[in-house]
Amino acid sequence: MLRIMLTAALLSASNAAFAQQLTAAQRDACMGDYRKYCKDVTPGGGRIIACLAKESDKLTPACKKVLGEAEKK
């Protein structure tokens, strides 16, 4: 379900706005997952969010929660 929600967010026209909406605390919740799965991804254009979405089944519960909540806004 999270993968579907993240994919929908990625396909929307507001990818950059979605990424910018994350607070420092929210980014911190996903930093470990980013470093583990997406460290070679260049930031910008929604690429990190896309990478995390591809790995959604492996993300920590905290990161899944943050991304799910941010997508709802």
Side-chain angles (χ1 to χ4, degrees):
M1 182 64 155
L2 179 61
R3 179 170 279 176
I4 293 169
M5 292 185 326
L6 290 174
T7 301
L10 292 171
L11 295 176
S12 72
S14 62
N15 287 343
F18 172 69
Q20 291 173 353
Q21 289 175 10
L22 298 178
T23 65
Q26 290 169 324
R27 284 190 298 273
D28 288 346
C30 292
M31 187 56 70
D33 293 311
Y34 164 73
R35 288 181 179 149
K36 188 171 185 178
Y37 304 115
C38 305
K39 66 181 176 185
D40 295 327
V41 175
T42 303
R47 289 184 288 268
I48 292 173
I49 300 296
C51 176
L52 290 172
K54 283 192 270 185
E55 304 295 338
S56 66
D57 56 327
K58 300 175 188 173
L59 299 179
T60 61
C63 185
K64 285 181 185 181
K65 181 180 178 187
V66 162
L67 293 177
E69 289 172 356
E71 193 274 331
K72 290 178 187 176
K73 293 181 180 180

